[in-house]
């Protein structure tokens, strides 16, 4: 390496302390029961942007429903989304299914154990690739995410901005140097576990830390100042009106989102971008768009849903219609019980309390 970050750093001492601590303290998580690459893969995709406690019941349900790659590969996408419902970041589920299908079709159902083929699968970025190769195949590959960068920025006292892509690359090359070749799986999982349990974002528990003697930030008392991370851009707020449209048979209109982009292929109550349409034009717009007459009633409530890049600010109205069918595949009339058959994003599940 050209820089001096790892100069004088006791790599083998650090590895030993970390791995011993991990072996003695690792949590009993369902995806740690065996090293099946498919299960490791599913767990790592679910754990992106999502907390362990939230993931556990989803992981168990998912694996009960799709115990092998073959079960997932040709499952109905709507069922897969339904099983993922509530976890968010639904493109993860779609990409996972596409990639699993490719593994079945191009690799005889065996998850590739090499960086090139594995990294070329949809949704398998450098982190997921490293996690699968190290945990399932015991290869010394770095698996660097925000959690790992936090721990290593403190241990090695790295003051670069971790939100920059080139800094992440730097961390990957440090991890390549640091990783144990005897037990890469425990090494990578040890750093992740340390970040989750001890070296937490706020108030790290340095007094209990197994690698405290190696930690440069602790030695200088600057552990809470690291990592350096520039603030993400503020999300744009988009106002919507959502319509809970009911007919006399107590059926509601639901609408399918487009097959690309945010929440692709999920279902929702019709949602109108109010800045573009204008409140007074909604009834007209709905007739033009879907060929269905609606009459808007009262405002029932409002809610805000925050995504990583935008915020939905939604006003919820009830509405009525005299139709019970539409000549448009994008909408359906369903009764209350049938809603369970459709994958809904969390924001729209919350609106169900306003239904009769
Ligand atoms: Fe993190 Fe503190 Fe341990 Fe350093 S000593 S790795 S800051 S918990």
């Amino acid at each position: 390496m050209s820089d001096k970050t790892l100069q004088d750093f006791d790599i083998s001492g650090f590895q030993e302390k970390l791995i011993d601590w991990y072996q003695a303290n690792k949590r009993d998580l369902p995806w740690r029961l065996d090293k099946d690459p498919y299960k490791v893969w599913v767990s790592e995709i679910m754990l992106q942007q999502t907390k362990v406690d939230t993931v556990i019941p989803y992981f168990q349900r998912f694996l009960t429903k799709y115990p092998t790659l073959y079960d997932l590969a040709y499952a109905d996408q709507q069922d897969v989304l339904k099983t993922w419902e509530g976890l968010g970041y639904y493109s993860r589920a779609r990409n996972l299914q596409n990639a699993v299908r490719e593994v079945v079709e191009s690799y005889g159902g065996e998850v590739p154990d090499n960086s090139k083929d594995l990294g070329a699968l949809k949704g398998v970025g450098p982190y997921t690739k490293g996690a699968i190769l190290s945990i399932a195949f015991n290869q010394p590959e770095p698996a660097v995410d925000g959690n790992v960068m936090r721990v290593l920025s403190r241990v090695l006292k790295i003051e670069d901005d971790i939100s920059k892509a080139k800094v992440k690359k730097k961390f990957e090359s440090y991890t390549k140097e640091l990783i144990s070749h005897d037990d890469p799986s425990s090494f990578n999982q040890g750093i992740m576990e340390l970040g989750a349990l001890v070296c937490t974002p706020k108030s790290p528990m340095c007094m209990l830390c197994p690698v405290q003697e190696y930690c440069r930030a602790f030695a200088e008392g600057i552990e809470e100042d690291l990592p350096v991370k520039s603030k993400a851009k503020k999300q744009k707020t988009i106002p919507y009106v959502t319509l809970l449209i009911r007919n006399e048979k107590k059926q509601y209109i639901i609408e399918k989102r487009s097959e690309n982009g945010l929440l692709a292929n999920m279902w929702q109550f019709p949602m109108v971008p109010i800045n573009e349409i204008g409140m007074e034009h909604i009834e007209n717009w709905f007739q033009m768009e879907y060929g269905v007459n609606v009459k808007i009633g009262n405002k029932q409530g409002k809610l805000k849903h925050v995504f990583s890049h935008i915020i939905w600010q939604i006003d919820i109205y009830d509405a009525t219609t005299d139709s019970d069918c539409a000549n448009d595949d994008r909408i359906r009339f369903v009764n209350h019980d049938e809603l369970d058959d459709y994958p809904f994003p969390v924001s729209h599940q919350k609106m169900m309390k306003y239904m009769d």
Side-chain angles (χ1 to χ4, degrees):
M1 300 196 63
S2 55
D3 74 36
K4 301 201 164 126
T5 304
L6 293 179
Q7 205 174 350
D8 302 325
F9 188 80
D10 177 2
I11 294 179
S12 59
F14 175 76
Q15 290 172 343
E16 200 183 317
K17 281 274 161 48
L18 180 70
I19 291 173
D20 286 352
W21 172 84
Y22 174 69
Q23 294 297 355
N25 294 282
K26 63 181 169 189
R27 287 168 294 175
D28 211 3
L29 300 174
W31 47 89
R32 289 187 176 151
L33 294 176
D34 62 54
K35 296 194 166 186
D36 177 344
Y38 168 62
K39 292 181 193 161
V40 172
W41 186 2
V42 172
S43 71
E44 288 301 337
I45 297 290
M46 285 189 170
L47 286 164
Q48 288 167 14
Q49 329 272 355
T50 314
K51 290 194 170 73
V52 165
D53 291 348
T54 309
V55 167
I56 291 173
Y58 278 95
F59 177 81
Q60 287 166 327
R61 259 199 313 274
F62 199 87
L63 265 293
T64 305
K65 198 149 184 202
Y66 311 113
T68 70
L69 287 142
Y70 293 91
D71 300 303
L72 178 58
Y74 299 107
D76 179 353
Q77 191 197 69
Q78 292 281 298
D79 274 347
V80 176
L81 290 174
K82 186 77 197 163
T83 316
W84 204 273
E85 186 184 79
L87 256 189
Y89 298 94
Y90 297 90
S91 58
R92 295 183 297 177
R94 285 189 300 272
N95 287 340
L96 174 65
Q97 190 184 23
N98 286 340
V100 158
R101 200 176 301 134
E102 194 180 339
V103 169
V104 168
E105 287 169 3
S106 307
Y107 300 102
E110 301 284 333
V111 177
D113 62 357
N114 68 82
S115 184
K116 186 167 157 281
D117 293 340
L118 187 59
L121 294 171
K122 207 147 193 196
V124 179
Y127 170 79
T128 310
K129 182 179 72 174
I132 296 171
L133 290 176
S134 61
I135 299 171
F137 298 113
N138 217 28
Q139 294 178 18
E141 286 290 328
V144 172
D145 65 354
N147 199 28
V148 170
M149 285 197 281
R150 179 177 66 256
V151 176
L152 291 183
S153 72
R154 290 169 175 171
V155 172
L156 300 172
K157 198 188 149 203
I158 296 168
E159 291 166 303
D160 299 319
D161 180 352
I162 63 164
S163 55
K164 299 215 159 84
K166 71 172 197 283
V167 173
K168 186 166 181 217
K169 287 241 160 346
K170 239 170 141 177
F171 276 93
E172 282 167 0
S173 62
Y174 295 138
T175 311
K176 260 195 180 136
E177 300 274 315
L178 289 175
I179 196 166
S180 158
H181 284 236
D182 294 333
D183 192 353
S185 168
S186 297
F187 180 90
N188 275 348
Q189 292 190 86
I191 296 203
M192 295 172 198
E193 199 76 339
L194 191 69
L197 301 180
V198 179
C199 193
T200 45
K202 292 200 178 107
S203 314
M205 290 175 270
C206 302
M207 290 307 149
L208 303 173
C209 180
V211 295
Q212 188 207 80
E213 66 189 283
Y214 303 92
C215 183
R216 293 172 180 163
F218 175 76
E220 294 185 27
I222 56 166
E223 63 275 6
E224 299 219 34
D225 301 330
L226 293 174
V228 174
K229 187 177 179 191
S230 58
K231 286 228 166 17
K233 264 208 261 145
K234 219 167 161 261
Q235 299 108 320
K236 188 174 158 205
T237 298
I238 309 178
Y240 286 97
V241 162
T242 291
L243 302 173
L244 302 175
I245 310 166
R246 206 182 80 144
N247 66 15
E248 286 192 339
K249 297 180 186 165
K250 289 195 172 183
Q251 292 173 313
Y252 283 83
I253 297 181
I254 58 171
E255 143 188 272
K256 193 176 190 185
R257 294 183 63 84
S258 112
E259 59 185 42
N260 297 306
L262 184 68
L263 304 170
N265 288 336
M266 307 277 292
W267 289 81
Q268 64 185 18
F269 299 106
M271 208 161 93
V272 185
I274 202 63
N275 274 358
E276 288 168 35
I277 310 295
M279 195 68 203
E280 65 281 21
H281 300 303
I282 293 183
E283 291 175 353
N284 224 348
W285 176 83
F286 206 83
Q287 161 59 234
M288 302 280 284
E289 184 75 13
Y290 291 121
V292 172
N293 288 322
V294 297
K295 196 162 173 24
I296 297 182
N298 298 318
K299 184 169 166 179
Q300 297 296 323
K302 58 179 183 174
L303 69 81
K304 181 172 148 181
H305 193 83
V306 179
F307 296 93
S308 54
H309 56 302
I310 54 166
I311 297 172
W312 283 355
Q313 191 75 54
I314 308 173
D315 286 336
I316 304 149
Y317 282 78
D318 60 24
T320 50
T321 178
D322 50 13
S323 301
D324 60 5
C325 65
N327 289 324
D328 192 313
D329 283 348
R330 293 171 301 161
I331 61 170
R332 283 195 193 163
F333 287 78
V334 294
N335 62 39
H336 215 305
D337 296 344
E338 288 167 329
L339 284 174
D340 280 349
D341 299 336
Y342 296 86
F344 269 74
V346 169
S347 51
H348 283 252
Q349 285 175 43
K350 287 182 185 161
M351 295 175 203
M352 292 180 189
K353 70 176 179 207
Y354 298 114
M355 296 168 67
D356 290 338

